[in-house]
Amino acid sequence: MENASKALIMSASILIGIIILSIATYLFTAFGGSSKEIQQQVDARVMAEFNNNFLKYQGSEKCTIHDIVNLAKFAQKTNEQLGYTASDYQEPFYIQVILIGNGRKELTQFTEQQLIKLLNDDSVEKDASGNLIGNLQYYKCEEVRFDNPEQTNRVSKIIFRKMN
């Protein structure tokens, strides 16, 4: 009788141990899944904040050259942080800021001096002979392109056109 009683106690303790391990495994997978979801939400929020730097100009016809140059500097800084140079313009995460006016200009490849010259030359309207009219020159954001919508949905190119 004593042996049967000890056998029941041992089997009960093994059963309790299995239940505790099952609960621990369930909690581990449940919390692991939710932390993965939280990380995905954080990544999506970071990507949305990044894209908002560009998307706030989408469809706008009241962009100034100052807005565009600031955006080009932001894109240059981001490209540098990612380790890209001007020759990497076809890489998936390289960001381009393009200005179409008197020709096509890829502003992310401009030097600081070229951007300053652009600011001085294109900030106000000029007549056909090059005389200043005095009104601010506006630009239209024609297009915002994304690199790979299925994977990152990150802005890769923004195109502005000079308004007449």
Side-chain angles (χ1 to χ4, degrees), residues 72-141:
K73 286 183 179 182
F74 174 75
Q76 285 175 336
K77 180 181 170 190
T78 302
N79 288 336
E80 287 174 16
Q81 288 173 345
L82 293 173
Y84 291 137
T85 62
S87 62
D88 298 323
Y89 69 94
Q90 291 183 335
E91 293 294 326
F93 295 118
Y94 185 85
I95 304 164
Q96 294 177 302
V97 178
I98 304 214
L99 179 63
I100 300 172
N102 300 331
R104 179 184 168 105
K105 301 170 186 166
E106 155 94 62
L107 300 185
T108 47
Q109 295 182 1
F110 274 34
T111 64
E112 184 73 25
Q113 288 75 26
Q114 289 173 312
L115 290 173
I116 290 171
K117 184 176 180 338
L118 184 68
L119 280 171
N120 291 334
D121 293 345
D122 291 357
S123 60
V124 293
E125 288 181 344
K126 298 176 183 167
D127 61 15
S129 60
N131 297 323
L132 297 177
I133 297 174
N135 298 330
L136 275 177
Q137 176 65 55
Y138 289 108
Y139 298 82
K140 177 184 180 184
C141 178

Side-chain angles (χ1 to χ4, degrees), residues 11-118:
S11 64
S13 62
I14 290 173
L15 186 60
I16 290 173
I18 292 172
I19 291 172
I20 289 173
L21 286 174
S22 298
I23 291 172
T25 305
Y26 170 75
L27 291 175
F28 180 74
T29 56
F31 288 131
S34 63
S35 68
K36 185 178 179 182
E37 291 171 11
I38 290 170
Q39 184 62 41
Q40 288 174 340
Q41 290 173 355
V42 168
D43 291 344
R45 187 175 305 126
V46 167
M47 189 58 61
E49 288 174 10
F50 174 81
N51 285 342
N52 280 338
N53 290 306
F54 299 93
L55 294 177
K56 64 184 174 184
Y57 299 109
Q58 190 172 27
S60 175
E61 295 182 359
K62 292 286 187 174
C63 299
T64 65
I65 194 68
H66 299 89
D67 297 329
I68 298 168
V69 166
N70 284 333
L71 193 61
K73 286 183 179 182
F74 174 75
Q76 285 175 336
K77 180 181 170 190
T78 302
N79 288 336
E80 287 174 16
Q81 288 173 345
L82 293 173
Y84 291 137
T85 62
S87 62
D88 298 323
Y89 69 94
Q90 291 183 335
E91 293 294 326
F93 295 118
Y94 185 85
I95 304 164
Q96 294 177 302
V97 178
I98 304 214
L99 179 63
I100 300 172
N102 300 331
R104 179 184 168 105
K105 301 170 186 166
E106 155 94 62
L107 300 185
T108 47
Q109 295 182 1
F110 274 34
T111 64
E112 184 73 25
Q113 288 75 26
Q114 289 173 312
L115 290 173
I116 290 171
K117 184 176 180 338
L118 184 68

